[in-house]
Amino acid sequence: MGEKEVLKVLHKNSQVCILFLIMLLFSSACTNQVANEPKKADRIKLVSDDGKPYIGFVLDTLKEERWYKDKALFEEKVVQMGGQVKTLAANGLDDIQIKQAELLIQEGADVLVVVPHNAEISAKIVDMAHKAGVKVISYDRLIKNSKVDYYISFDNEKVGELQASEVVKKVSKGNFAYIGGAESDNNAVLFRKGAMKVIQPLIDKGDIKIVYDQYTDEWKPETAQKNMQSALEQNSNQIDAVIAANDGTAGGVINALSSAGLSGNIPVSGQDAELMGVKRIVEGTQTMTVYKPITLLAGKVAEVAVKAAKGEKVATDRTVNNGEIDVPSILLDPIAVTKNNIKDTVIKDGYLTEEELYKK
């Protein structure tokens, strides 16, 4: 056999070997995936009292002020109801959130309560949990394209309606900018939908023109600020009102307006009744925020989670379609907060204090 023939044989054999190795690795990966997936029979409750309901709370993030409140209130309520709870936060990383859910399932959680980072990717958590016999409650944000067991939140279209309505009370004509939340968060889509219910008739009349409309990646205030700066640049600073999806994005918007010498002259909405957001309302740079009584939300979810863990019947008042099923849901009413009703809302409920808001 000549040199060329030998090289051809070696080349052909090397291709076969590489193909074999790829198939072997793929087979091994699939085997490991199946082996590692939590199964009902393999789960052991790693808790102090395996007779108590064990609730796993999977948070998107603890980078925003409001989620610390949710965590504390939810954990307190679960314990009051005789349950046990473990909370893990993924800080905006989908793969980490899925791993955390898997860990809680393996540790014997009876129910998972999930604040999804990505509404669609989180469907994997539901599938994984159901294979292990674990129910899933979607907390505040809806998990899409899945057979999630329950969805408990506020009426998020109503949030958007409140935001737009309060802004329109201040300015009902002119150039409007919409600075939304993260498009991967289903709530952000609903906020915009609700706002447009209020704005669209005025657009149709020719009173309002949407000159800038942009979601905010990851809900980052610095991204909202850049978006608002772009809106101002593209329109020669001729913007009359801004609908911002939450207090974080509102903060970014107001920073951009301040740099342009416009802060306090243009109405800006918000949401979540964060301390800094309500302080800006007191100062006059932010028009309103939407207060979603987290005590009520956390309490209701804890109640449903413990009932579901015990196998008891859970009463819901409506359904919300998530792209796959009509999810049994409970939707609570949000409240618009302006300078006129701060004391009757967030202060009255003890959510914020007068000292926090009004101290010099």
Side-chain angles (χ1 to χ4, degrees):
M1 184 181 293
E3 185 179 343
K4 288 185 178 179
E5 285 79 6
V6 171
L7 289 172
K8 284 182 181 178
V9 171
L10 288 172
H11 179 68
K12 185 177 180 181
N13 287 341
S14 68
Q15 287 180 319
V16 171
C17 289
I18 289 169
L19 180 61
F20 176 75
L21 285 170
I22 290 171
M23 291 176 67
L24 186 64
L25 287 169
F26 180 75
S27 174
S28 174
C30 290
T31 303
N32 287 338
Q33 186 176 357
V34 172
N36 292 334
E37 192 170 79
K39 295 179 181 177
K40 192 171 185 178
D42 299 334
R43 295 164 61 242
I44 301 172
K45 273 194 180 182
L46 297 179
V47 290
S48 57
D49 185 347
D50 62 9
K52 291 182 177 181
Y54 177 29
I55 313 300
F57 192 23
V58 186
L59 276 168
D60 164 24
T61 184
L62 283 172
K63 290 181 179 179
E64 295 177 21
E65 174 192 324
R66 72 150 285 190
W67 296 112
Y68 282 97
K69 294 179 184 288
D70 289 78
K71 176 181 181 295
L73 291 164
F74 178 77
E75 290 174 343
E76 181 182 1
K77 186 66 175 180
V78 169
V79 172
Q80 282 178 3
M81 295 186 69
Q84 300 167 96
V85 60
K86 182 173 182 177
T87 302
L88 297 174
N91 288 334
L93 300 172
D94 292 309
D95 55 340
I96 297 298
Q97 188 165 51
I98 291 168
K99 287 290 185 184
Q100 289 175 338
E102 182 180 13
L103 175 65
L104 290 168
I105 293 167
Q106 289 173 335
E107 288 186 355
D110 299 300
V111 171
L112 283 186
V113 175
V114 181
V115 180
H117 171 251
N118 184 295
E120 296 186 358
I121 292 175
S122 297
K124 293 178 185 178
I125 293 174
V126 179
D127 293 341
M128 182 169 55
H130 284 177
K131 285 176 184 175
V134 176
K135 291 188 175 180
V136 180
I137 299 170
S138 199
Y139 183 116
D140 193 50
R141 303 172 181 171
L142 181 62
I143 300 174
K144 299 189 75 175
N145 302 321
S146 67
K147 291 183 171 65
V148 65
D149 297 279
Y150 303 104
Y151 170 49
I152 305 173
S153 184
F154 290 88
D155 186 335
N156 290 306
E157 282 191 35
K158 182 69 174 178
V159 169
E161 290 176 33
L162 292 174
Q163 290 172 330
S165 295
E166 291 299 327
V167 168
V168 167
K169 285 179 186 178
K170 299 290 185 181
V171 175
S172 59
K173 292 184 179 182
N175 291 341
F176 276 50
Y178 188 86
I179 306 295
E183 193 171 8
S184 60
D185 179 350
N186 188 61
N187 281 5
V189 177
L190 294 175
F191 301 150
R192 186 186 180 283
K193 185 177 179 181
M196 292 307 294
K197 282 184 180 179
V198 176
I199 298 297
Q200 192 61 51
L202 296 170
I203 294 173
D204 295 341
K205 283 176 62 178
D207 289 344
I208 287 176
K209 183 179 180 181
I210 301 291
V211 295
Y212 191 85
D213 187 351
Q214 184 66 49
Y215 285 106
T216 302
D217 188 42
E218 300 289 338
W219 290 95
K220 291 180 179 177
E222 58 269 28
T223 303
Q225 182 171 341
K226 289 176 183 177
N227 287 340
M228 191 62 212
Q229 286 168 344
S230 296
L232 290 166
E233 289 167 6
Q234 291 171 23
N235 294 278
S236 302
N237 285 0
Q238 298 303 305
I239 289 180
D240 300 293
V242 182
I243 300 172
N246 75 342
D247 290 339
T249 54
V253 166
I254 290 164
N255 285 343
L257 292 175
S258 181
S259 296
L262 297 170
S263 179
N265 298 323
I266 294 175
V268 179
S269 68
Q271 182 201 178
D272 289 334
E274 290 187 353
L275 175 59
M276 293 309 297
V278 182
K279 274 191 168 186
R280 288 191 295 267
I281 293 173
V282 172
E283 293 163 0
T285 56
Q286 185 170 322
T287 305
M288 61 86 70
T289 188
V290 178
Y291 173 45
K292 301 188 295 188
I294 294 172
T295 303
L296 188 61
L297 175 64
K300 178 57 69 175
V301 178
E303 177 188 325
V304 170
V306 172
K307 280 188 175 182
K310 292 179 178 178
E312 298 176 3
K313 185 177 179 181
V314 173
T316 56
D317 55 15
R318 68 183 81 185
T319 61
V320 175
N321 190 278
N322 73 343
E324 182 159 338
I325 64 168
D326 292 325
V327 183
S329 304
I330 299 171
L331 299 183
L332 308 171
D333 289 326
I335 300 165
V337 175
T338 66
K339 189 177 285 189
N340 296 328
N341 70 345
I342 289 172
K343 291 185 178 181
D344 294 329
T345 53
V346 292
I347 291 176
K348 183 179 178 181
D349 285 359
Y351 186 75
L352 297 173
T353 67
E354 288 193 60
E355 184 181 3
E356 286 176 315
L357 290 172
Y358 298 104
K359 67 182 179 183
K360 299 296 182 183

